Amino acid sequence: MARGPLQQTGAGVLTRRQRERRGRRLLLVWTAVVALVSSGIGGLAGAYVEREGVGDVTLPQAGSVPAGRAPDSVAGIAARALPSVVTLHVSGADEAGTGTGFVLDARGHILTNNHVVQPASSGGEISVTFSGGDTAKARIVGRDSGYDLAVVQVSGVRGLTPLPLGDSDGVRVGDPVVAIGAPFDLANTVTSGIISATERPITAGGEKSDGSDVSYVDALQTDAPINPGNSGGPLLDSRARVIGINSAIRSAGTGSDSGSGQAGSIGLGFAIPVNQARRVAEELINKGHATHPVIGVTLDMGWTGDGARVDSRARDGGPAVAAGGPAARAGLKAGDVITEVDGERVHSGEELIVRIRAHEPGDRLRLTVERGGEREVSLVLGASEQN
């Protein structure tokens, strides 16, 4: 059997050339060995340093962030608005709660929701906490359950900065917004989102058997997170102007929530448009009560058909169409079904009230009415008062 060449293990006699070649090979081998040994020592030393904690570890950090923020950023809007937003702690004989409000003027008037201050309406107390931590007592100037708005006033507080009021009629779907409030009593909480719908007819409240506490709102809808405690706080546009008053949420388990329960946000929040709130706030401050636009009819709220049906009789047994009122002058009769307001469909009595409440007394409306056929009537809104 053939064998390969043998490798000698003993020393042999080498020629000069063989010695030179062997020297070069040894040099290369030694160099390789030195490199391997060096890397091994380095690895062992690094492992030892890491294991034994020899030497300080310094982690990289990004450069410093500029102190200022763009005025239209969420941080910029919050910085301007927070000093004007307050947290209200309200207590009454049987209940207590937390809500939000914001400064209207240097005289100490603060706008919030009626359902926030309602527990203090019969001898309770209202404590207002400003963003800097200062507190003051407040009194109710006026409130209106139909619009779910109220004005309170603090005294002896200097340096108040009113929040500027914007124009809710100019709001468009997709506009960025910022909400500020005290959800679950977490004061000075800032959230952001967009306007997800406008002119959304909603009703809230209704805990009283006679329905006198139901509010009707042609609301701005937003996906900015709003939770119980945000009620009465401002919804701001990109220029830190108030465009709405956060008032209600739609929650997964309980339906419409006025902010007093424990349901959380699912991205469906509703705010009273500031153009409506401005008029009501001015009347509450100047008169102590607000006027509601009316057409002078009693609606059949149990009607299940499409549209808003004029009832057969008023609740007190009188005529459903008030004598001499706007509807009577326009020729409306009991049993008429109102299907449109200024060309916009209404599908229920609640929707009709919401559409009317979005206007002011003295505004002219065009109604589409069904009575054995369809016809249009024009009327000028009257006024009623509700405390």
Side-chain angles (χ1 to χ4, degrees), residues 298 303 308-312 320-321 332-338 369-371:
T298 299
W303 167 255
R309 182 177 181 273
V310 180
D311 211 340
S312 57
V321 180
L332 267 66
K333 299 181 180 298
D336 284 352
V337 178
I338 301 169
V369 180
E370 288 185 355
R371 185 203 305 158

PDB file of all heavy atoms in Angstrom, residues 298 303 308-312 320-321 332-338 369-371:
ATOM      1  N   THR A 298     -95.028  72.534  20.137  1.00  0.00           N
ATOM      2  CA  THR A 298     -94.712  71.384  20.982  1.00  0.00           C
ATOM      3  C   THR A 298     -94.520  70.183  20.066  1.00  0.00           C
ATOM      4  O   THR A 298     -95.405  69.861  19.270  1.00  0.00           O
ATOM      5  CB  THR A 298     -95.841  71.097  21.982  1.00  0.00           C
ATOM      6  OG1 THR A 298     -96.023  72.236  22.831  1.00  0.00           O
ATOM      7  CG2 THR A 298     -95.521  69.879  22.828  1.00  0.00           C
ATOM      8  N   TRP A 303     -92.583  60.344  18.410  1.00  0.00           N
ATOM      9  CA  TRP A 303     -92.800  60.056  16.991  1.00  0.00           C
ATOM     10  C   TRP A 303     -91.640  59.211  16.457  1.00  0.00           C
ATOM     11  O   TRP A 303     -90.465  59.527  16.650  1.00  0.00           O
ATOM     12  CB  TRP A 303     -92.891  61.374  16.229  1.00  0.00           C
ATOM     13  CG  TRP A 303     -92.803  61.307  14.732  1.00  0.00           C
ATOM     14  CD1 TRP A 303     -91.736  61.667  13.965  1.00  0.00           C
ATOM     15  CD2 TRP A 303     -93.815  60.910  13.820  1.00  0.00           C
ATOM     16  NE1 TRP A 303     -92.007  61.505  12.635  1.00  0.00           N
ATOM     17  CE2 TRP A 303     -93.294  61.036  12.516  1.00  0.00           C
ATOM     18  CE3 TRP A 303     -95.130  60.441  13.982  1.00  0.00           C
ATOM     19  CZ2 TRP A 303     -94.023  60.729  11.388  1.00  0.00           C
ATOM     20  CZ3 TRP A 303     -95.867  60.128  12.838  1.00  0.00           C
ATOM     21  CH2 TRP A 303     -95.313  60.275  11.571  1.00  0.00           C
ATOM     22  N   ALA A 308     -89.496  65.631  12.282  1.00  0.00           N
ATOM     23  CA  ALA A 308     -89.982  66.106  13.584  1.00  0.00           C
ATOM     24  C   ALA A 308     -91.463  66.449  13.442  1.00  0.00           C
ATOM     25  O   ALA A 308     -91.833  67.331  12.656  1.00  0.00           O
ATOM     26  CB  ALA A 308     -89.183  67.323  14.029  1.00  0.00           C
ATOM     27  N   ARG A 309     -92.286  65.774  14.213  1.00  0.00           N
ATOM     28  CA  ARG A 309     -93.740  65.937  14.076  1.00  0.00           C
ATOM     29  C   ARG A 309     -94.273  66.883  15.144  1.00  0.00           C
ATOM     30  O   ARG A 309     -93.937  66.770  16.321  1.00  0.00           O
ATOM     31  CB  ARG A 309     -94.438  64.587  14.198  1.00  0.00           C
ATOM     32  CG  ARG A 309     -95.945  64.626  14.025  1.00  0.00           C
ATOM     33  CD  ARG A 309     -96.504  63.214  14.092  1.00  0.00           C
ATOM     34  NE  ARG A 309     -97.956  63.189  13.909  1.00  0.00           N
ATOM     35  CZ  ARG A 309     -98.841  63.330  14.876  1.00  0.00           C
ATOM     36  NH1 ARG A 309     -98.438  63.528  16.132  1.00  0.00           N
ATOM     37  NH2 ARG A 309    -100.142  63.282  14.609  1.00  0.00           N
ATOM     38  N   VAL A 310     -95.106  67.844  14.731  1.00  0.00           N
ATOM     39  CA  VAL A 310     -95.777  68.741  15.664  1.00  0.00           C
ATOM     40  C   VAL A 310     -96.862  67.952  16.378  1.00  0.00           C
ATOM     41  O   VAL A 310     -97.699  67.290  15.740  1.00  0.00           O
ATOM     42  CB  VAL A 310     -96.379  69.956  14.932  1.00  0.00           C
ATOM     43  CG1 VAL A 310     -97.081  70.876  15.935  1.00  0.00           C
ATOM     44  CG2 VAL A 310     -95.296  70.711  14.159  1.00  0.00           C
ATOM     45  N   ASP A 311     -96.847  68.011  17.710  1.00  0.00           N
ATOM     46  CA  ASP A 311     -97.775  67.211  18.516  1.00  0.00           C
ATOM     47  C   ASP A 311     -99.214  67.718  18.336  1.00  0.00           C
ATOM     48  O   ASP A 311     -99.452  68.809  17.805  1.00  0.00           O
ATOM     49  CB  ASP A 311     -97.367  67.284  19.986  1.00  0.00           C
ATOM     50  CG  ASP A 311     -97.727  66.011  20.744  1.00  0.00           C
ATOM     51  OD1 ASP A 311     -98.596  65.261  20.261  1.00  0.00           O
ATOM     52  OD2 ASP A 311     -97.127  65.777  21.811  1.00  0.00           O
ATOM     53  N   SER A 312    -100.148  66.915  18.845  1.00  0.00           N
ATOM     54  CA  SER A 312    -101.555  67.296  18.732  1.00  0.00           C
ATOM     55  C   SER A 312    -101.947  68.314  19.802  1.00  0.00           C
ATOM     56  O   SER A 312    -102.824  69.157  19.587  1.00  0.00           O
ATOM     57  CB  SER A 312    -102.454  66.065  18.844  1.00  0.00           C
ATOM     58  OG  SER A 312    -102.211  65.389  20.067  1.00  0.00           O
ATOM     59  N   ALA A 320    -100.807  72.861  20.387  1.00  0.00           N
ATOM     60  CA  ALA A 320     -99.404  72.519  20.141  1.00  0.00           C
ATOM     61  C   ALA A 320     -98.670  73.622  19.397  1.00  0.00           C
ATOM     62  O   ALA A 320     -97.446  73.746  19.507  1.00  0.00           O
ATOM     63  CB  ALA A 320     -99.313  71.211  19.358  1.00  0.00           C
ATOM     64  N   VAL A 321     -99.413  74.419  18.636  1.00  0.00           N
ATOM     65  CA  VAL A 321     -98.812  75.563  17.942  1.00  0.00           C
ATOM     66  C   VAL A 321     -99.223  76.810  18.708  1.00  0.00           C
ATOM     67  O   VAL A 321    -100.401  77.182  18.752  1.00  0.00           O
ATOM     68  CB  VAL A 321     -99.288  75.646  16.474  1.00  0.00           C
ATOM     69  CG1 VAL A 321     -98.658  76.843  15.778  1.00  0.00           C
ATOM     70  CG2 VAL A 321     -98.940  74.347  15.732  1.00  0.00           C
ATOM     71  N   LEU A 332     -97.985  76.840  10.318  1.00  0.00           N
ATOM     72  CA  LEU A 332     -97.834  75.449  10.740  1.00  0.00           C
ATOM     73  C   LEU A 332     -99.033  75.005  11.575  1.00  0.00           C
ATOM     74  O   LEU A 332     -99.666  75.815  12.260  1.00  0.00           O
ATOM     75  CB  LEU A 332     -96.545  75.269  11.563  1.00  0.00           C
ATOM     76  CG  LEU A 332     -95.303  74.844  10.759  1.00  0.00           C
ATOM     77  CD1 LEU A 332     -94.888  75.941   9.788  1.00  0.00           C
ATOM     78  CD2 LEU A 332     -94.150  74.474  11.686  1.00  0.00           C
ATOM     79  N   LYS A 333     -99.330  73.694  11.512  1.00  0.00           N
ATOM     80  CA  LYS A 333    -100.481  73.134  12.216  1.00  0.00           C
ATOM     81  C   LYS A 333    -100.070  71.847  12.948  1.00  0.00           C
ATOM     82  O   LYS A 333     -99.033  71.254  12.641  1.00  0.00           O
ATOM     83  CB  LYS A 333    -101.610  72.822  11.241  1.00  0.00           C
ATOM     84  CG  LYS A 333    -102.148  74.030  10.483  1.00  0.00           C
ATOM     85  CD  LYS A 333    -103.284  73.637   9.569  1.00  0.00           C
ATOM     86  CE  LYS A 333    -103.834  74.823   8.795  1.00  0.00           C
ATOM     87  NZ  LYS A 333    -104.395  75.864   9.699  1.00  0.00           N
ATOM     88  N   ALA A 334    -100.909  71.434  13.900  1.00  0.00           N
ATOM     89  CA  ALA A 334    -100.677  70.169  14.586  1.00  0.00           C
ATOM     90  C   ALA A 334    -100.649  69.034  13.573  1.00  0.00           C
ATOM     91  O   ALA A 334    -101.454  68.990  12.640  1.00  0.00           O
ATOM     92  CB  ALA A 334    -101.779  69.921  15.611  1.00  0.00           C
ATOM     93  N   GLY A 335     -99.709  68.108  13.741  1.00  0.00           N
ATOM     94  CA  GLY A 335     -99.576  66.986  12.828  1.00  0.00           C
ATOM     95  C   GLY A 335     -98.607  67.226  11.692  1.00  0.00           C
ATOM     96  O   GLY A 335     -98.226  66.271  10.990  1.00  0.00           O
ATOM     97  N   ASP A 336     -98.198  68.478  11.453  1.00  0.00           N
ATOM     98  CA  ASP A 336     -97.196  68.748  10.418  1.00  0.00           C
ATOM     99  C   ASP A 336     -95.877  68.053  10.767  1.00  0.00           C
ATOM    100  O   ASP A 336     -95.500  67.954  11.947  1.00  0.00           O
ATOM    101  CB  ASP A 336     -96.939  70.245  10.284  1.00  0.00           C
ATOM    102  CG  ASP A 336     -98.058  70.964   9.543  1.00  0.00           C
ATOM    103  OD1 ASP A 336     -98.943  70.278   9.006  1.00  0.00           O
ATOM    104  OD2 ASP A 336     -98.045  72.220   9.520  1.00  0.00           O
ATOM    105  N   VAL A 337     -95.176  67.572   9.747  1.00  0.00           N
ATOM    106  CA  VAL A 337     -93.873  66.941   9.943  1.00  0.00           C
ATOM    107  C   VAL A 337     -92.804  67.806   9.266  1.00  0.00           C
ATOM    108  O   VAL A 337     -92.847  68.030   8.052  1.00  0.00           O
ATOM    109  CB  VAL A 337     -93.836  65.512   9.364  1.00  0.00           C
ATOM    110  CG1 VAL A 337     -92.439  64.906   9.536  1.00  0.00           C
ATOM    111  CG2 VAL A 337     -94.881  64.636  10.041  1.00  0.00           C
ATOM    112  N   ILE A 338     -91.873  68.295  10.073  1.00  0.00           N
ATOM    113  CA  ILE A 338     -90.777  69.126   9.568  1.00  0.00           C
ATOM    114  C   ILE A 338     -89.624  68.211   9.193  1.00  0.00           C
ATOM    115  O   ILE A 338     -89.128  67.450  10.033  1.00  0.00           O
ATOM    116  CB  ILE A 338     -90.348  70.158  10.628  1.00  0.00           C
ATOM    117  CG1 ILE A 338     -91.539  71.046  11.003  1.00  0.00           C
ATOM    118  CG2 ILE A 338     -89.179  70.999  10.125  1.00  0.00           C
ATOM    119  CD1 ILE A 338     -91.281  71.909  12.226  1.00  0.00           C
ATOM    120  N   VAL A 369     -91.881  71.309   5.137  1.00  0.00           N
ATOM    121  CA  VAL A 369     -92.949  70.716   5.939  1.00  0.00           C
ATOM    122  C   VAL A 369     -93.775  69.772   5.069  1.00  0.00           C
ATOM    123  O   VAL A 369     -94.093  70.082   3.915  1.00  0.00           O
ATOM    124  CB  VAL A 369     -93.861  71.818   6.531  1.00  0.00           C
ATOM    125  CG1 VAL A 369     -94.984  71.208   7.362  1.00  0.00           C
ATOM    126  CG2 VAL A 369     -93.036  72.779   7.373  1.00  0.00           C
ATOM    127  N   GLU A 370     -94.111  68.613   5.646  1.00  0.00           N
ATOM    128  CA  GLU A 370     -94.995  67.662   4.966  1.00  0.00           C
ATOM    129  C   GLU A 370     -96.377  67.702   5.608  1.00  0.00           C
ATOM    130  O   GLU A 370     -96.516  67.549   6.822  1.00  0.00           O
ATOM    131  CB  GLU A 370     -94.425  66.237   5.051  1.00  0.00           C
ATOM    132  CG  GLU A 370     -93.199  66.008   4.187  1.00  0.00           C
ATOM    133  CD  GLU A 370     -92.746  64.560   4.211  1.00  0.00           C
ATOM    134  OE1 GLU A 370     -93.360  63.780   4.983  1.00  0.00           O
ATOM    135  OE2 GLU A 370     -91.797  64.217   3.490  1.00  0.00           O
ATOM    136  N   ARG A 371     -97.382  67.920   4.766  1.00  0.00           N
ATOM    137  CA  ARG A 371     -98.787  67.885   5.180  1.00  0.00           C
ATOM    138  C   ARG A 371     -99.610  67.587   3.937  1.00  0.00           C
ATOM    139  O   ARG A 371    -100.061  68.484   3.234  1.00  0.00           O
ATOM    140  CB  ARG A 371     -99.240  69.205   5.797  1.00  0.00           C
ATOM    141  CG  ARG A 371    -100.680  69.156   6.365  1.00  0.00           C
ATOM    142  CD  ARG A 371    -101.294  70.531   6.446  1.00  0.00           C
ATOM    143  NE  ARG A 371    -100.499  71.466   7.209  1.00  0.00           N
ATOM    144  CZ  ARG A 371    -100.585  72.793   7.086  1.00  0.00           C
ATOM    145  NH1 ARG A 371    -101.444  73.330   6.209  1.00  0.00           N
ATOM    146  NH2 ARG A 371     -99.829  73.595   7.817  1.00  0.00           N
TER     147      ARG A 371
END
